[in-house]
Amino acid sequence: MELRRVVITGLGAVTPIGNTVSDFWDALCKGVNGAGEVTRFDASKFKTRIACEVKNYDPQQFFDRKESRKLDLFTQFAILASDEAIQDSQITEDNTDLNEVGVVFGSGIGGINSFYEEVAAYATGDGTPRYNPFIIPKLLPDLAAGHISMRHGFRGPNFSTVSACASSANAIVEGFNYVRYGMFPVAVVGGSEAAVSPPAMGGFEAMRAMTTRNDDMMTASRPFDADRDGFIMGEGAGCLVLEELEHALARNAKIYGEIVGCGLSSDAYHITAPHPEGLGAMMCMERAIKSAGLQTTDIDHINTHGTSTPAGDTSEAMAISRLFGEHVSKMPINSIKSMTGHLLGGSSAIEAIATVLTLRDGIIPPTINHFNDDPSIDPNLDIVYWEARKKEMTYAISNAFGFGGHNASIVFKKY
């Protein structure tokens, strides 16, 4: 089978540091931090009272009251990010058969806050069920993809991927495969999450996965730092329009970059902890490089999963060191979660966008909040700390790992 080349022709983002791609990218390069006190609910009794929330967002600017009643916040973010990406790509019925456009959009949790609010109202009421008639479609993770397809008339494959914090990476991989195997010429892919809510925050708090550095929130997310104590919850969405190269060229599309390979693996180890030696992470990066027809020495940069959890960062760093050997000193890596927090199922979508723009502009955004080197992390790793770095690059990997041992790596190429 002849494989098609897959390029990126549209980008869209709603993030804690910018509600458009241009604002997001500008903030990343400047090292802007999205942390703040939780405003979505009263977190005063929680051990973690900080999060990276989307700023200056008013649903009434984008949805009327009747429509917003049907949409959980994670779906709203997905719609806005996809609207930007689709408009950016200039895909229209005049240049594309909309029956041949697929939508694959991931979410790790879906409408958890809508579900919580409805159940809480029932539990504190008189026992009479008075549920919102839209509660089921509000909470289902696949409804973000469904709304995107209905909004734009896309009648290709349409579904959600759920693999915890690797969900949107898996969505990108699925769309990539549809296009490169010649099944459909265009795929709208990405992911969304809006889990700054009592059950999600409380659940991750109970697992001791989140930072409790409330009094020092602007430096609380510290990927690869010796004193990291967990991630900061983030929220938002990212979207990419993937397109067969010939289709994109035929309609004179703007091209941001190219996807040339992907790798998937499972740790087969633990429900929440990563493999202590980074076995699954190493395997999926190795498979991605092989899929792209490359050698480890061809990779110029890695946008790491880098959550700021003690076990996760050590495991990923070990996997990179074992796979790339001496090349690690020539291959800068970073973690943008130091600025955006952890968007869970939406994280790998905005990180894919960051990786594409890193290659396009030759700028690696920094990993902020580094104070002390971790002796368990290879000192030869070239981690870009505090300030963005200019570097001409051709190939970069974006990593995503999720609870359950789900691992995904995607290889991007400068176009």
Side-chain angles (χ1 to χ4, degrees):
M1 178 182 292
E2 180 184 355
L3 298 179
R4 275 70 168 177
R5 290 176 64 183
V6 182
V7 294
I8 299 121
T9 57
L11 299 174
V14 177
T15 80
I17 58 173
N19 297 350
T20 64
V21 169
S22 61
D23 288 346
F24 167 58
W25 179 238
D26 182 61
L28 278 183
C29 293
K30 292 177 179 176
V32 174
N33 194 325
E37 294 182 354
V38 170
T39 66
R40 300 220 177 276
F41 67 96
D42 179 4
S44 60
K45 295 183 179 180
F46 284 66
K47 292 179 181 178
T48 297
R49 299 183 294 278
I50 57 176
C52 287
E53 298 177 345
V54 171
K55 315 295 188 299
N56 304 315
Y57 176 68
D58 179 6
Q60 302 305 316
Q61 291 182 350
F62 308 100
F63 309 99
D64 62 37
R65 182 173 297 181
K66 182 178 180 181
E67 186 178 17
S68 62
R69 189 167 177 255
K70 304 176 184 178
L71 304 171
D72 184 85
L73 190 58
F74 96 97
T75 302
Q76 294 178 28
F77 290 156
I79 289 172
L80 296 182
S82 60
D83 279 357
E84 182 186 13
I86 293 161
Q87 182 177 2
D88 184 37
S89 73
Q90 297 186 343
I91 287 284
T92 68
E93 60 184 355
D94 294 328
N95 58 39
T96 301
D97 182 354
L98 301 188
N99 293 326
E100 298 293 303
V101 179
V103 181
V104 189
F105 225 79
S107 182
I109 299 181
I112 187 169
N113 196 56
S114 291
F115 183 64
Y116 162 73
E117 289 177 345
E118 293 293 320
V119 171
Y122 174 73
T124 57
D126 62 5
T128 303
R130 298 183 181 89
Y131 286 95
N132 182 330
F134 301 105
I135 181 57
I136 299 303
K138 285 181 74 172
L139 67 90
L140 292 175
D142 66 292
L143 259 291
H147 278 287
I148 293 167
S149 69
M150 288 183 282
R151 191 175 180 91
H152 298 280
F154 299 149
R155 295 184 177 85
N158 170 254
F159 61 97
S160 174
T161 48
V162 181
S163 48
C165 301
S167 294
S168 48
N170 279 112
I172 295 169
V173 170
E174 286 297 309
F176 168 62
N177 283 331
Y178 276 129
V179 177
R180 74 165 169 165
Y181 289 131
M183 299 172 69
F184 297 92
V186 180
V188 177
V189 301
S192 181
E193 207 80 87
V196 182
S197 64
M201 294 280 286
F204 282 111
E205 179 180 287
M207 294 170 58
R208 299 182 180 179
M210 294 193 304
T211 179
T212 56
R213 199 173 270 113
N214 300 297
D215 296 331
D216 193 12
M217 62 186 177
M218 299 310 288
T219 67
S221 181
R222 303 183 179 188
F224 305 110
D225 188 86
D227 299 319
R228 64 190 183 275
D229 69 334
F231 69 82
I232 294 183
M233 181 79 78
E235 63 179 10
C239 182
L240 302 86
V241 176
L242 308 185
E243 192 168 349
E244 182 184 319
L245 175 62
E246 295 303 318
H247 188 275
L249 292 176
R251 64 180 192 88
N252 231 2
K254 169 181 57 184
I255 296 176
Y256 284 99
E258 185 173 359
I259 299 180
V260 293
C262 59
L264 303 172
S265 74
S266 175
D267 282 350
Y269 173 72
H270 189 270
I271 56 173
T272 57
H275 192 282
E277 297 177 358
L279 180 61
M282 186 177 70
M283 288 176 65
C284 79
M285 286 187 287
E286 188 173 32
R287 288 169 179 170
I289 293 167
K290 183 179 179 180
S291 166
L294 302 174
Q295 304 295 319
T296 54
T297 51
D298 293 319
I299 304 302
D300 300 304
H301 164 62
I302 297 178
N303 185 307
T304 68
H305 188 57
T307 59
S308 185
T309 58
D313 290 3
T314 300
S315 175
E316 184 173 13
M318 187 177 298
I320 293 171
S321 293
R322 290 179 63 190
L323 179 61
F324 290 92
E326 295 181 358
H327 185 59
V328 295
S329 63
K330 305 172 185 176
M331 182 186 65
I333 69 174
N334 69 341
S335 170
I336 70 168
K337 289 186 179 74
S338 59
M339 296 174 275
T340 66
H342 191 357
L343 275 64
L344 307 180
S347 60
S348 40
I350 67 167
E351 287 160 17
I353 292 170
T355 307
V356 170
L357 297 178
T358 290
L359 290 176
R360 184 195 68 175
D361 294 351
I363 300 174
I364 302 172
T367 304
I368 64 171
N369 302 334
H370 178 73
F371 302 97
N372 298 296
D373 292 341
D374 184 342
S376 70
I377 290 176
D378 183 357
N380 293 313
L381 281 173
D382 183 11
I383 305 174
V384 179
Y385 286 128
W386 286 113
E387 293 185 357
R389 183 187 303 177
K390 292 184 178 181
K391 177 182 172 65
E392 286 301 313
M393 296 161 283
T394 304
Y395 296 102
I397 288 176
S398 183
N399 281 339
F401 313 130
F403 284 173
H406 312 298
N407 305 307
S409 295
I410 303 170
V411 182
F412 295 91
K413 181 183 179 182
K414 182 175 182 177
Y415 184 75

